Amino acid sequence: MTLTLTVSDEVRDLAPGFTHLAVEAHGLVNGPSNEDSSALLDDAVRRLADRLGGRAPHEDPHLAAWRAVYSAFGAKPSRTRNSAEALAKRALSDGGLPRINLLVDLYNAVSVAHLIPVGGEDTDRIAGGMRLVRATGDEPFATAAGGEPVVEHPEPGEVVWRDDEGVTCRRWNWRQGVRTRLTEESVNAVFLLERLAPMTSAELDAAGAELAESLEKLSPGARITVHPAR
């Protein structure tokens, strides 16, 4: 894998058994959301409703495990939901899921259908390797507020993904930064699918395979590699 991904011992101690699966892609074609990506999102919402059977998203065992881990590093899981729970809650609301762009729609569909946090990063905008660590609180996090760029800092001890320039995603998988997000110009990317028990390794692999298949259909000439879970 061209991009290195590491998980610190501090995070491993916080969440024993945590694993992530990376789907690496080169030569992608992105663009505005269309009927095909919208149909994938609509199908994901139907699958979500079947999976939940009337329960709230946070009652799903996998999302309950994420809530417990968020509490363990000091986050309030009802206020700052993990990305899968936030998307699922939005999917079931009157407004439904947003349409962002083709690549984001594809990974959001997998996240909602499988109730698993999934993120996508533009590898051309990542500086050095990516690391999942507990923050010191000094790391810069480039985001936006009121449509204007701002720089925030994580709380000390907060779990974050970061590279050599700063934080790329706060509170593990809660909010992605603007610097490395996938835009319509993105051609190279890495997608991270993150699992806690009781989700099984087989379920994680199935979600990764579905994402890889969707990427291959979107960009037939792209090089797609599904890396083993770590």
Side-chain angles (χ1 to χ4, degrees), residues 63-77:
L63 297 191
W66 277 105
R67 281 195 165 213
V69 165
Y70 267 49
S71 295
F73 67 80
K76 295 182 178 179

Side-chain angles (χ1 to χ4, degrees), residues 189-230:
V190 63
F191 302 88
L192 294 178
L193 296 82
E194 300 181 302
R195 175 194 75 92
L196 296 170
M199 177 174 275
T200 66
S201 296
E203 290 173 305
L204 174 63
D205 291 342
E210 183 174 325
L211 177 57
E213 182 179 357
S214 292
L215 292 170
E216 288 167 354
K217 288 180 180 178
L218 172 67
S219 305
R223 303 191 311 278
I224 312 292
T225 305
V226 179
H227 295 277
R230 297 176 53 197

Side-chain angles (χ1 to χ4, degrees), residues 95-113:
L97 287 170
R99 274 58 174 166
I100 308 298
N101 60 54
L102 294 176
L103 291 177
V104 176
D105 291 353
L106 294 194
Y107 78 71
N108 279 349
V110 170
S111 177
V112 168

